[in-house]
Amino acid sequence: MTMKPKYKTKQREILLSYLKQTPGKHITAGDVCEYFKEQGTPIGQATVYRQLESLVDEGLVNKYSIDANSPACFEFMGEETHEGKEVCFHAKCEECGKLIHLHCEEILHIRDHLFADHGFMLDSKRTVFYGICEECRAAKA
Amino acid sequence: MTMKPKYKTKQREILLSYLKQTPGKHITAGDVCEYFKEQGTPIGQATVYRQLESLVDEGLVNKYSIDANSPACFEFMGEETHEGKEVCFHAKCEECGKLIHLHCEEILHIRDHLFADHGFMLDSKRTVFYGICEECRAAKA
DNA sequence: TTGCGTGCAAAGGTTTTGCATGGCA
DNA sequence: TGCCATGCAAAACCTTTGCACGCAA
């Protein structure tokens, strides 16, 4: 993971800048294909999937699986927080899709626990806490 | 949810007893089909999916969606306490794909913390901790 | 007898892959 | 030039659905 891309292609550039322009939105691979087709600069779907996977590996983009049986969502994560910097975990509401950033000590404690007691080195970039947020719970009641 | 089945069919019986015999294991719909085909008492896959869905609705079985793009796993939960029984979280190695079951208190603590301090109700069936397991870390060094 | 459950086959939708071509360095 | 990336089409994959038949109550 966190391997740099070898080439800098046009498709990669416009795909990444598209994701940058839509912060906090749920973009699926299908959305990307559709968007660029409408723009008159279509990208092959295989390329879209392969580039998205690369971007996720590089840590620039996060991948979300809200529902087991609906397409995965992608979201630009920003470029600063790649290396070691402050760790940030994310919680995603399965209902409204809201992304909550977690910086608290309790989360860090879990990471240490997994490492100390389970020998498991947690990857904060890929791990997402799924659940229902406060607003959606209130709305359901 | 928790609606009782109307009929008591042979397929339902043997499927349920199979799941009961494999506690702590992750059984996919495909596993079920394969098993009963080998046993000489095949069950149609549509039936397998439909019965598994029913069992989940009834609270007898838990369904885990580990990855967006791998088959869902099912696990017998027991018949007594459907509500709030022992939760099971999972950690998955990004390297070898190994799945680790987590039952420890620390994880439960995180769940309580997310609820108390962030108003976020964690979904143990969809949340997966990604990272690198002990063996893979050793192999890399 | 009533109508739910079953099974087969086919559809549905997302993601991956093979392979020839094109483009970056 | 040497590879990697792209794109098309097809495959792979899991899951759902339509419909006729069978079986539980």
Side-chain angles (χ1 to χ4, degrees):
Chain A
M1 62 199 70
T2 311
M3 32 156 57
K4 290 286 173 227
K6 314 246 173 175
Y7 288 180
K8 180 175 164 182
T9 66
K10 198 182 77 182
Q11 288 87 345
R12 178 189 162 88
E13 293 302 294
I14 61 177
L15 172 39
L16 189 50
S17 84
Y18 172 53
L19 289 179
K20 278 186 191 171
Q21 286 168 29
T22 55
K25 277 210 170 185
H26 294 147
I27 309 290
T28 68
D31 293 337
V32 173
C33 290
E34 201 177 336
Y35 174 77
F36 285 109
K37 184 185 277 183
E38 286 176 0
Q39 291 292 310
T41 54
I43 306 181
Q45 68 166 2
T47 299
V48 169
Y49 278 103
R50 285 188 276 232
Q51 278 295 350
L52 284 173
E53 191 188 347
S54 293
L55 292 170
V56 170
D57 282 346
E58 293 164 39
L60 288 175
V61 166
N62 258 14
K63 177 181 183 177
Y64 300 105
S65 306
I66 303 302
D67 256 325
N69 215 11
S70 52
C73 300
F74 298 86
E75 187 176 349
F76 182 69
M77 275 289 102
E79 6 210 2
E80 316 85 37
T81 54
H82 297 167
E83 300 302 335
K85 242 191 162 181
E86 62 179 290
V87 204
C88 178
F89 282 90
H90 298 93
K92 190 96 180 176
C93 178
E94 302 181 84
E95 199 75 25
C96 66
K98 183 168 53 189
L99 191 64
I100 302 168
H101 297 251
L102 305 168
H103 295 95
C104 38
E105 288 185 18
E106 281 86 351
I107 311 281
L108 297 179
H109 177 256
I110 262 294
R111 189 190 53 175
D112 296 342
H113 160 71
L114 284 173
F115 190 75
D117 295 0
H118 301 271
F120 191 81
M121 191 191 275
L122 189 57
D123 180 353
S124 66
K125 286 202 289 285
R126 275 206 60 190
T127 299
V128 178
F129 297 87
Y130 291 101
I132 309 290
C133 75
E134 200 156 19
E135 288 80 15
C136 288
R137 252 193 6 268
K140 274 178 137 183
Chain B
M1 55 185 74
T2 313
M3 35 160 49
K4 289 286 174 225
K6 314 242 172 174
Y7 287 3
K8 182 174 162 183
T9 66
K10 200 182 76 182
Q11 289 85 346
R12 179 190 160 88
E13 293 301 295
I14 61 176
L15 173 38
L16 189 49
S17 84
Y18 171 53
L19 289 178
K20 278 185 190 171
Q21 287 168 29
T22 54
K25 275 209 172 186
H26 283 138
I27 310 289
T28 67
D31 293 338
V32 173
C33 291
E34 202 177 335
Y35 174 77
F36 286 108
K37 182 184 279 183
E38 285 177 0
Q39 291 292 308
T41 54
I43 307 180
Q45 68 166 3
T47 298
V48 169
Y49 277 103
R50 286 189 276 233
Q51 279 294 351
L52 285 174
E53 191 186 349
S54 293
L55 292 170
V56 170
D57 282 346
E58 293 163 39
L60 289 174
V61 166
N62 261 9
K63 176 181 183 178
Y64 296 103
S65 303
I66 303 301
D67 254 326
N69 217 11
S70 52
C73 299
F74 297 87
E75 185 176 352
F76 182 69
M77 275 288 99
E79 2 209 5
E80 319 83 35
T81 50
H82 297 168
E83 300 303 335
K85 224 199 164 181
E86 62 178 291
V87 211
C88 178
F89 282 89
H90 299 91
K92 184 165 186 177
C93 178
E94 300 180 79
E95 201 75 27
C96 66
K98 184 169 55 188
L99 197 63
I100 303 169
H101 297 247
L102 304 169
H103 294 96
C104 38
E105 287 183 19
E106 282 85 352
I107 310 281
L108 296 180
H109 177 256
I110 264 295
R111 189 190 52 175
D112 296 342
H113 161 71
L114 284 173
F115 189 75
D117 295 0
H118 300 271
F120 192 81
M121 191 191 276
L122 191 57
D123 180 355
S124 67
K125 297 186 185 62
R126 301 244 348 98
T127 298
V128 179
F129 296 87
Y130 288 99
I132 309 290
C133 75
E134 200 156 18
E135 288 79 16
C136 288
R137 246 189 16 261
K140 274 177 137 184

